[in-house]
Amino acid sequence: MRTTRKARTARGTTVVALAALGALALAGCGDGGKGGDGGAADATKGTDSAQTVRLPRLDGQKIEVAAVWTGPEQENFTKVLKEFEKRTGATVTFVPAQDPIVNFLGTKIAGGSPPDVAMLPQVGAVEQAVAQKWAKPLGPEAKAELAKNYGKGWQDLGSVDGTPYGVYFKAANKSLVWYNTAVFENAGAAEPKTWKDFLTTAETISASGVTPVSVGGADGWTLTDWFENVYLSQAGPEKYDQLAKHEIKWTDPSVTKALTTLAELFGKPGLIAGGADGALQTEFPKSVTQTFTGGDQPKGAMVFEGDFVSVNIAQTEAKIGTDAKVFPFPAVGAEPPVVTGGDAAVALKDSKGAQALLTFLASPDAARIWAESGGFISPNKSLDVAAYPNDVQRDIAKALIAAGDDFRFDMSDQMPQSFGGTPGKGEWKALQDFLKNPKDVAGTQARLEADAAKAYKN
């Protein structure tokens, strides 16, 4: 049985910092990753003045790091690992992991070959690793670096029963909608502020001859993010926390209302690229790239997901801030939602090399390397925002830090992984089935509750 984390109950600062800022700055012009004041960080890269953390020499030591990242994310994280090698003399190998990573790690550990460090994308995964006695507590140097550079909220997320185990290296604002500006201009569409406006905008774009919304339904986690944003804005933070801990059932009227709201979009296949069947065959990266290819006639005009969408936009010819802009997820209730996520580094071996890598990942030095490459937001408050490659990402990063400890973490990532983080099972599968048949609200709720009760054992 995993440890249940007490969720936070305040989010006013987050709403002000992220939503209001989003309306003003996120849709403003960035430089597409080509210039701005990101060059200032480049000038000091690799110099002694850029090094804020002292690391031990680890000549001859071999370290393995497991993560589910692929493509550009893996490439950018590898740059971070290469800098660690350069500073310490260690040899670091990236181990591609399958989702759910806890199952992958369990197999590795059972076979006697665990990686030294794993990047865990769910709070529940960190707690499960601790419960299984796989995870090792942070050493003194890593704890000191964490305390210096992270707010209490992020420190708490990586702790279990008051003991710090994880360093949240990568964060995400998962309440953003990215759009093709040429399509919006041709349709005469404006950025929507409310859910009602969002649906009206979708209809306006559809009337112009372009399918309005691209959905990566083949990856169930994107559908959990759709639900969480609707639910948080509509039901409010208190209910959100209760549902995350299964203190209320998935058959609760608040869930009925959120699914019914979501069905206002999912129930109109003409508004979704490829319809429900097409969306269920579309993986997340494609849902982004098909929004920003084809000029003003893409397969979809808008795509919902976090700041990391910029990584996939970079694989197209679209430029962030001109061809691609972003607005906050529209308000369904009184306030727009703000949902965050993140990946925590956890040591699985009690070794000098593993602890040194966690120390490095807790420093602004490591965060700066990936920040310069784009598609990355750090919860590290000591990172100079000049490291980010464009104004869009700088503004998102500033807002994340300004939010302090008041934020809502991704609900599915707080749940037992068997329910909230496993492909083809639990919430992922139930919401994929719902996308295919959005009229079956009651049946979807019943399946969600049955799977949740089994996962939470209550």
Side-chain angles (χ1 to χ4, degrees), residues 60-129:
Q61 292 196 30
K62 296 182 178 181
I63 302 169
E64 290 187 341
V65 183
V68 297
W69 291 323
T70 59
E73 286 186 308
Q74 180 180 336
E75 293 170 12
N76 290 333
F77 185 53
T78 299
K79 294 178 186 177
V80 178
L81 300 180
K82 289 294 182 186
E83 178 64 18
F84 179 78
E85 287 183 324
K86 175 180 162 187
R87 295 195 189 185
T88 63
T91 300
V92 185
T93 302
F94 180 92
V95 179
Q98 289 80 45
D99 235 342
I101 193 170
V102 168
N103 293 357
F104 172 83
L105 295 175
T107 301
K108 287 284 189 180
I109 290 168
S113 57
D116 297 82
V117 172
M119 306 300 299
L120 301 181
Q122 292 102 12
V123 173
V126 175
E127 294 172 341
Q128 191 171 343

Side-chain angles (χ1 to χ4, degrees), residues 179 183-184 187 189 200-213 300-302:
Y179 66 96
V183 175
F184 265 57
T200 299
T201 298
E203 295 285 2
T204 299
I205 291 169
S206 180
S208 76
V210 177
T211 307
V213 184
M302 298 179 279

Side-chain angles (χ1 to χ4, degrees), residues 150-398:
Y150 285 74
K152 185 177 183 299
W154 289 99
Q155 293 182 50
D156 288 348
L157 283 172
S159 300
V160 177
D161 295 333
T163 299
Y165 288 89
V167 172
Y168 272 87
F169 178 62
K170 188 175 188 287
N173 172 3
K174 304 182 83 172
S175 298
L176 302 172
V177 180
W178 301 77
Y179 66 96
N180 184 311
T181 56
V183 175
F184 265 57
E185 289 169 3
N186 289 346
E191 295 178 5
K193 307 296 186 199
T194 67
W195 180 255
K196 182 180 178 181
D197 292 343
F198 178 77
L199 295 175
T200 299
T201 298
E203 295 285 2
T204 299
I205 291 169
S206 180
S208 76
V210 177
T211 307
V213 184
S214 178
V215 177
D219 294 313
W221 60 267
T222 65
L223 303 181
T224 70
D225 289 348
W226 272 103
F227 172 80
E228 288 162 10
N229 277 273
V230 169
Y231 189 82
L232 177 57
S233 181
Q234 189 174 65
E238 185 175 347
K239 285 277 190 182
Y240 184 95
D241 294 340
Q242 290 172 345
L243 188 59
K245 294 182 284 185
H246 201 222
E247 291 178 350
I248 57 174
K249 294 184 177 183
W250 284 83
T251 50
D252 189 85
S254 63
V255 178
T256 308
K257 189 174 181 181
L259 290 175
T260 301
T261 299
L262 200 50
E264 293 174 353
L265 173 65
F266 288 179
K268 295 184 177 180
L271 299 183
I272 297 174
D277 290 339
L280 288 168
Q281 296 176 45
T282 302
E283 295 181 341
F284 164 68
K286 184 181 177 183
S287 73
V288 178
T289 56
Q290 71 181 14
T291 304
F292 298 102
T293 52
D296 61 358
Q297 292 294 313
K299 290 186 177 180
M302 298 179 279
V303 61
F304 152 70
E305 256 312 334
D307 52 86
F308 45 82
V309 163
S310 61
V311 171
N312 304 96
I313 294 176
Q315 295 176 305
T316 73
E317 295 183 359
K319 303 302 178 189
I320 295 174
T322 52
D323 309 311
K325 291 186 180 180
V326 62
F327 58 84
F329 195 96
V332 186
E335 298 182 39
V338 178
V339 177
T340 63
D343 297 89
V346 174
L348 302 181
K349 287 184 180 177
D350 199 6
S351 66
K352 186 177 181 180
Q355 291 293 339
L357 182 56
L358 292 183
T359 302
F360 181 58
L361 294 178
S363 75
D365 300 16
R368 185 183 67 247
I369 296 166
W370 195 336
E372 289 169 346
S373 298
F376 170 90
I377 298 295
S378 174
N380 191 315
K381 63 185 180 181
S382 300
L383 175 65
D384 186 345
V385 295
Y388 293 99
N390 56 61
D391 290 338
V392 170
Q393 287 182 280
R394 288 184 200 111
D395 289 336
I396 296 172
K398 288 176 186 176

